[in-house]
Amino acid sequence: MAVELLPIPLPESADPTKFKSFGREVRGVDPANLSPEEFATVRAALYTHDALLFRNASLTPEQQYALTKAFDPQSENYGHGNKQTEADKKSILHPDLKTIPRVPQVQLIGNGTVYNHEGLAEAKLKHPSHKTFHKTKVSPEDEAKGVTRFYRWHIDAALYNLSPPRVTTLYGLEVPQGPRQVVRYDDGSGQELPVPLGTTAFVSGKTMFNILPENLKSVAVRGRVRYSPHPYVWMTPAHAKSTGLGIESEGLEVPLADLPPWDESKVKIYPILWKNPVTDELSFQVHPCGVAELFIDPLPEGANRDGALYPDGAHLTDLKEVRDLLYQMQRPAINPELVYPHDWHEKDLVLFHNRGILHSVVGAFTPDQVRAFHQCNLAASDEPTGPTPEDVKKWA
């Protein structure tokens, strides 16, 4: 049977004109046992559509690791490292992950207590809650009515020492059912988004770039971000915005001198825009919570300077200024009509292009609601590719 690609079902909230190329359900193949020809088709489909869904998939942790690694055969380690260092134990991510002992590249994530699971006698899982990370919180009364938040919009990446994974695979093993919830943005916009319980929300980095006005496209194509050393330790005391898109500037970050030991050569500086290896399209790929500085190159010779921002270039080091500019560029892309909130079913396998998408944990569970997923992504063997000189000339 040939590989069949079907559009993923969109919620009523989504603008279908903005999802024409986004997301496909894959039928006709077993993701745990792809032939070389089938994998080539799946690979091309992933980079073309950014997210692939396999329903009723059956795969072991070993098979999930093998599938993830096939997209980057030289990769080996989990995308955030081995979680054994001082930095890993102080990281804001530390409580959210449990490693499958015999396949350490695969993580068990979810909610509630799971017993006798793939070599883990007991695993106490905790769904990340905005109440531990956001500056403001949904009231208990509203939460009881199903009001919730995006937790943290992000790329799966260590953003220090290790390179961002090309692909993440998420496999739903236990998916609790319950009433739908409503994401409230709580930023003065009045925006809300109805979502399934425990959804994973995705937005397209390509759309994030494409909808920008010309002056901000120019900044994006000329821009690079510098991440903090050990960014997930650095941001731990800080508070996120109510939209989950970046950090409030309150001066609460861990001082660089108080971080675990770090090496300047391992600090990551990435272009704002990353180039798709199959389509050559540009995606706005910035993890706003971890950014410390912003570099903007001057306009290329001959470019129109009318209305241009930072025509002579800039190096922004004021955290609030950096964050405000990034927020101005990224916030439109998380409007409700541009978010795909996946409605999980047991044995759903989702592959997403981690260098073309931002995503967020969403929602809240009660302690007795058990949710168990396997997640795998691998620190890449290469760095993302930024805009070409031709791209800069076109968009600057």
Side-chain angles (χ1 to χ4, degrees), residues 150-395:
F150 300 119
Y151 172 64
R152 177 172 58 234
W153 288 102
H154 66 285
I155 304 162
D156 286 336
L159 303 173
Y160 174 79
N161 189 28
L162 302 172
S163 301
R166 297 179 185 177
V167 173
T168 292
T169 57
L170 267 179
Y171 182 41
L173 293 161
E174 291 189 59
V175 180
Q177 299 302 308
R180 291 170 65 83
Q181 298 183 328
V182 176
V183 171
R184 201 169 65 194
Y185 287 59
D186 284 341
D187 63 346
S189 67
Q191 290 181 325
E192 296 182 342
L193 176 67
V195 295
L197 177 68
T199 185
T200 306
F202 298 94
V203 294
S204 163
K206 178 174 66 174
T207 300
M208 187 175 282
F209 174 60
N210 288 343
I211 64 176
L212 288 175
E214 297 304 317
N215 62 340
L216 291 178
K217 281 181 177 170
S218 173
V219 172
V221 80
R222 293 183 284 132
R224 288 166 291 134
V225 290
R226 182 185 191 272
Y227 289 96
S228 169
H230 301 302
Y232 300 100
V233 180
W234 176 72
M235 73 175 76
T236 297
H239 301 125
K241 295 179 180 293
S242 62
T243 55
L245 187 70
I247 302 281
E248 297 282 5
S249 297
E250 304 173 277
L252 298 177
E253 296 77 16
V254 175
L256 295 185
D258 295 339
L259 290 174
W262 57 277
D263 186 331
E264 183 68 37
S265 67
K266 296 179 179 179
V267 170
K268 294 298 187 181
I269 299 176
Y270 287 129
I272 287 175
L273 303 180
W274 297 1
K275 202 168 184 67
N276 186 298
V278 169
T279 68
D280 279 342
E281 293 168 300
L282 296 170
S283 290
F284 196 116
Q285 293 299 118
V286 172
H287 188 326
C289 293
V291 174
E293 300 177 24
L294 182 56
F295 301 90
I296 304 168
D297 291 336
L299 286 171
E301 191 173 345
N304 183 5
R305 297 173 67 92
D306 292 344
L309 300 172
Y310 310 102
D312 299 315
H315 177 196
L316 307 182
T317 58
D318 178 85
L319 257 183
K320 186 176 189 311
E321 185 179 6
V322 169
R323 287 169 172 164
D324 287 351
L325 180 57
L326 287 174
Y327 196 74
Q328 182 184 1
M329 292 194 281
Q330 292 188 285
R331 173 62 178 83
I334 67 164
N335 283 342
E337 68 273 13
L338 299 179
V339 176
Y340 170 67
H342 182 63
D343 190 358
W344 286 99
H345 296 80
E346 288 189 0
K347 303 188 82 174
D348 274 1
L349 172 67
V350 172
L351 281 62
F352 62 88
H353 177 207
N354 187 53
R355 295 181 174 192
I357 272 179
L358 271 71
H359 66 286
S360 177
V361 169
V362 185
F365 292 107
T366 58
D368 61 336
Q369 288 178 306
V370 176
R371 182 184 198 252
F373 279 52
H374 285 172
Q375 179 216 56
C376 184
N377 57 63
L378 302 172
S381 61
D382 62 356
E383 297 285 18
T385 302
T388 64
E390 291 74 22
D391 292 324
V392 175
K393 188 173 291 187
K394 178 179 180 179
W395 297 111

Side-chain angles (χ1 to χ4, degrees), residues 1-6 25-31 33-35 38 41-42 53-55:
M1 187 175 176
V3 178
E4 188 179 4
L5 300 175
L6 304 173
E25 181 181 345
V26 185
R27 295 182 182 175
V29 291
D30 176 3
N33 295 285
L34 295 174
S35 70
E38 290 169 341
T41 301
V42 168
L53 167 63
F54 295 82
R55 296 278 195 200

